[in-house]
Amino acid sequence: MSILVLADLHEGQLAGATAHVVAAAQAIGGDIDILIAGEGVQAAADAAAKLDGVNKVRVADNAVYAHQLAEPMGALLVELSDGYSHVLASASTTGKNVLPRLAALKDVSQLSDVLGVESADTFLRPIYAGNAIATVKSDDALKVITIRTTGFDAVGESGSATIEAVDFVAENSQSSFVKEELAQSDRPELGGAKVVISGGRGMGNGENFKLLDGIADKLGAAIGASRAAVDAGFVPNDMQVGQTGKIVAPDLYIAVGISGAIQHLAGMKDSKVIVAINKDDEAPIFQVADYGLVGDLFEILPELESKL
Amino acid sequence: MKVLVAVKRVIDYNVKIRVKADHSDVDLTNVKMAMNPFCEIAVEEAVRLKEKGVATEVVAVTVGPKAAQEQLRTALALGADRAIHIETDERAESLAVAKLLAKVVDEEQPGLVILGKQAIDTDNNQTGQMLAALTNLPQGTFASEVAVDGEKVNVTREIDGGLQTVALTLPAIVTTDLRLNEPRYAKLPDIMKAKKKPLDVKTPADYGVEVASKVSLLKVESPAERKGGVKVASVDELIDKLKNEAKVL
Ligand SMILES: Cc1cc2nc3c(=O)[nH]c(=O)nc-3n(C[C@H](O)[C@H](O)[C@H](O)COP(=O)(O)OP(=O)(O)OC[C@H]3O[C@@H](n4cnc5c(N)ncnc54)[C@H](O)[C@@H]3O)c2cc1C
Ligand SMILES: Cc1cc2nc3c(=O)[nH]c(=O)nc-3n(C[C@H](O)[C@H](O)[C@H](O)COP(=O)(O)OP(=O)(O)OC[C@H]3O[C@@H](n4cnc5c(N)ncnc54)[C@H](O)[C@@H]3O)c2cc1C
């Protein structure tokens, strides 16, 4: 068996997610190659070559792959997928955008959001917002899979894979990049943070999210939000945790002014320790919280910050 | 320009599902069903394009059992002009649905196809992308803004790091994210009118598409239950527990 892993890039650098996807590839077993596609991605390729268990890093460095638009990326994957038994990517917005195109063009199914590997053809994936876990078996010749990174611990960085250039240049006259507005933050990535503190509608407005800053600073935490907080315009969309936002599984998750709708729980209930701060002692979030503190967040947060 | 919208019948998003005792599947007997929330957003966007004079006709399509006609009627009540029901009792998975939708695209020649980004039952997030690949059309997934501009459409996409805008040539495939719009509710007179709007019934065989998949569902289990813990009385107690009991601080 041989496995091709499409690497995630973040502003041209290798994103943390890829080390988790390589771990999933190791669980499947076989030779593992990584594909880096983008423009000016040598540094990402060097970083990928250090990941443990990687055989070869294939680098498609060309302007047509900048911003990893779906159309040329799909064509590239189709071109390169011959000879592989599995093609994997993280279930990031890039993986989700690109991989189904490969699957369709190869006339195979895609398994989305896989969080466990039983064998080379049998996998676990969440359905119904994680309220059920399906075991699915694929008899397709090529298995196209997106990986939920929280299901696999990242591999180490003591490898030394070979790096090889890919010559294929896809054509693309259908789509073009216009602009990107990326959130700028010095905090850790939501997906990889050890501690996450999230605010919900109870925060009242965007200004009040500053109450979370001091605590996040002290704990080295990433800041997340419920959909209600994002919809209300308190914070940008990239902070949304949940079924349709980001899936996180930190050591500590602190939910502040969040009621605990199933769609929100779907994104955080695999956290090791959950703390809920809510003024309503019947809020469903308390049913999953290890430690619940009933009270007004506007009093609790400043006290918590000063005592940490 | 004609706009095609794909709608899916799924479990209502408020329902908490249960796994069957024999672990063969989730138990959907007598569960409330509804239109997938992302598909409601897709219908709303199409109808708004028509109201703005950008679209001339809105066609809703679904693949599913007889009962899925309820969701087509909802789409018609919300403003779609006609509907196509591709009837099957088989579990049609994304690739088969995408193949069927590709045939409909071929027949109808829409300028824009709008789908939900994911269905809240299987959470696959792939049908629109597969359709784009099969029809060789560009895709704008997870859209929070769709602006048709002559021969092009600008789609603003919700990506992990923030927002990305791409320009696509038309025809194009768009999948909706939550913040694209807020769907309206169907009014009673519109629900009545919808009953008279045309609804074509077809089968996968009419399109020569095989629905069977090479993926089989071996079993379905409930995730590890998370037990509620304790309530603490004060910030001091919380910090103490986190330090000394949970050891996460
Ligand atoms: C298709 C679909 C997908 C969805 N996807 C997601 C998703 O990915 N992520 C997500 O989060 N949601 C998602 N939702 C929305 C979800 O159903 C809930 O509406 C949302 O999570 C509610 O957010 P909330 O808990 O912040 O708000 P609310 O439910 O309004 O809860 C606010 C809470 O704050 C508490 N509160 C208020 N004031 C204070 C105070 N001063 N001090 C302490 N506590 C206070 C209240 O007691 C209440 O419990 C989705 C919904 C649908 C239909
Ligand atoms: C292993 C496996 C297990 C399954 N388990 C279940 C199950 O437990 N219960 C169950 O009901 N089904 C099940 N199905 C079938 C499943 O419900 C879907 O029909 C199929 O997987 C399509 O994926 P999706 O809806 O998640 O696609 P997504 O890509 O998440 O859907 C995105 C969008 O595509 C469009 N779309 C998707 N399906 C249709 C459709 N049928 N008609 C029109 N537009 C559509 C909609 O616009 C939708 O918003 C299963 C399928 C497989 C392969």
Side-chain angles (χ1 to χ4, degrees):
Chain A
M1 274 180 309
S2 55
I3 304 172
L4 182 64
V5 170
L6 171 64
D8 269 292
L9 303 180
H10 185 72
E11 298 186 5
Q13 302 297 313
L14 186 71
T18 304
H20 296 263
V21 181
V22 171
Q26 283 185 331
I28 294 168
D31 284 341
I32 302 168
D33 293 349
I34 293 188
L35 171 61
I36 306 268
E39 188 183 19
V41 289
Q42 190 56 44
D46 292 340
K50 294 203 180 77
L51 294 178
D52 287 344
V54 177
N55 175 40
K56 185 164 73 183
V57 177
R58 308 180 71 177
V59 186
D61 199 331
N62 191 286
V64 76
Y65 305 121
H67 308 290
Q68 302 195 317
L69 298 183
E71 298 75 14
M73 289 293 290
L76 174 66
L77 282 170
V78 169
E79 174 74 19
L80 297 184
S81 64
D82 283 345
Y84 289 103
S85 55
H86 299 69
V87 177
L88 271 52
S90 83
S92 62
T93 46
T94 305
K96 286 175 178 166
N97 194 35
V98 172
L99 242 57
R101 289 186 75 100
L102 167 68
L105 294 170
K106 286 291 189 178
D107 197 23
V108 299
S109 297
Q110 171 179 294
L111 301 177
S112 299
D113 262 318
V114 162
L115 47 68
V117 174
E118 294 249 295
S119 71
D121 62 8
T122 304
F123 306 91
L124 303 181
R125 62 173 303 264
I127 53 177
Y128 296 93
N131 285 300
I133 307 292
T135 304
V136 293
K137 177 170 186 283
S138 165
D139 292 323
D140 279 318
L142 174 68
K143 287 156 187 78
V144 177
I145 300 174
T146 62
I147 297 293
R148 179 170 289 193
T149 49
T150 55
F152 302 89
D153 290 333
V155 298
E157 294 172 20
S158 56
S160 55
T162 53
I163 298 180
E164 171 188 292
V166 169
D167 297 329
F168 176 77
V169 178
E171 279 182 39
N172 180 23
S173 56
Q174 294 184 315
S175 64
S176 56
F177 173 81
V178 178
K179 64 173 179 190
E180 227 159 44
E181 295 154 54
L182 298 181
Q184 295 302 331
S185 165
D186 302 332
R187 300 195 186 287
E189 255 183 279
L190 256 181
K194 293 246 182 291
V195 181
V196 173
I197 180 163
S198 291
R201 200 195 315 263
M203 298 299 295
N205 59 44
E207 187 66 20
N208 291 338
F209 262 75
K210 293 211 178 101
L211 291 170
L212 303 180
D213 283 343
I215 299 174
D217 286 343
K218 289 194 167 164
L219 297 177
I223 298 183
S226 71
R227 174 186 171 190
V230 177
D231 284 3
F234 300 174
V235 290
N237 66 282
D238 55 273
M239 286 169 66
Q240 181 175 318
V241 171
Q243 179 184 17
T244 50
K246 296 213 169 80
I247 310 288
V248 301
D251 293 340
L252 174 61
Y253 187 89
I254 307 177
V256 185
I258 291 179
S259 61
I262 50 174
Q263 294 87 4
H264 188 79
L265 300 185
M268 44 65 80
K269 70 177 159 49
D270 292 331
S271 306
K272 287 206 185 80
V273 174
I274 297 174
V275 169
I277 298 171
N278 197 303
K279 67 176 182 192
D280 170 8
D281 68 352
E282 309 252 283
I285 188 79
F286 289 122
Q287 291 164 22
V288 299
D290 299 283
Y291 303 107
L293 184 50
V294 180
D296 185 352
L297 67 91
F298 296 105
E299 288 163 19
I300 293 172
L301 291 177
E303 186 183 345
L304 183 60
E305 182 183 340
S306 71
K307 289 185 172 163
L308 275 173
Chain B
M1 178 175 82
K2 191 192 285 185
V3 179
L4 185 70
V5 268
V7 301
K8 185 180 179 192
R9 175 184 175 83
V10 298
I11 182 168
D12 183 273
Y13 78 91
N14 283 311
V15 174
K16 184 143 171 38
I17 56 100
R18 259 192 307 267
V19 171
K20 285 184 183 167
D22 67 359
H23 295 291
S24 61
D25 205 339
V26 298
D27 193 352
L28 294 181
T29 34
N30 298 324
V31 161
K32 185 174 172 216
M33 302 294 279
M35 188 189 293
N36 181 37
F38 291 94
C39 301
E40 285 180 4
I41 296 170
V43 173
E44 177 67 31
E45 196 64 18
V47 171
R48 287 188 192 185
L49 285 172
K50 193 177 168 197
E51 288 167 349
K52 277 192 254 173
V54 177
T56 47
E57 190 186 23
V58 176
V59 182
V61 54
T62 195
V63 180
K66 178 118 196 144
Q69 288 190 12
E70 285 169 27
Q71 280 62 49
L72 287 179
R73 291 291 170 200
T74 304
L76 293 169
L78 292 170
D81 298 292
R82 63 189 169 87
I84 302 170
H85 177 206
I86 305 175
E87 190 175 338
T88 173
D89 287 326
E90 263 186 87
R91 167 179 279 167
E93 61 125 345
S94 309
L95 181 62
V97 171
K99 285 181 184 173
L100 288 164
L101 294 178
K103 298 283 184 185
V104 176
V105 168
D106 213 30
E107 227 170 64
E108 298 279 345
Q109 297 287 318
L112 199 61
V113 186
I114 313 182
L115 302 88
K117 83 162 175 180
Q118 81 192 58
I120 59 161
D121 50 0
T122 41
D123 286 333
N124 274 326
N125 196 327
Q126 51 182 238
T127 307
Q129 297 87 312
M130 287 182 161
L131 175 62
L134 293 176
T135 51
N136 193 25
L137 294 176
Q139 72 190 43
T141 51
F142 330 140
S144 65
E145 199 183 330
V146 175
V148 177
D149 176 16
E151 298 291 284
K152 284 203 161 167
V153 58
N154 279 317
V155 179
T156 303
R157 312 177 49 232
E158 295 201 2
I159 59 170
D160 289 334
L163 296 172
Q164 180 189 66
T165 306
V166 291
L168 311 174
T169 54
L170 291 173
I173 313 284
V174 166
T175 76
T176 62
D177 216 315
L178 291 169
R179 280 163 285 273
L180 181 57
N181 60 49
E182 235 179 275
R184 68 194 72 188
Y185 291 97
K187 293 195 210 75
L188 192 60
D190 294 328
I191 295 173
M192 302 310 290
K193 255 189 266 166
K195 292 187 176 151
K196 299 207 185 70
K197 289 188 179 174
L199 190 159
D200 263 358
V201 182
K202 305 265 192 174
T203 65
D206 293 339
Y207 295 101
V209 171
E210 190 60 62
V211 172
S213 138
K214 289 215 168 79
V215 174
S216 42
L217 184 61
L218 301 185
K219 68 177 176 210
V220 175
E221 289 166 302
S222 296
E225 253 327 299
R226 209 184 164 102
K227 294 231 170 27
V230 295
K231 293 236 171 82
V232 293
S234 65
V235 168
D236 292 314
E237 190 186 345
L238 177 65
I239 293 177
D240 175 61
K241 295 268 192 201
L242 291 177
K243 274 199 178 125
N244 300 316
E245 193 175 89
K247 299 193 182 1
V248 285
L249 286 188

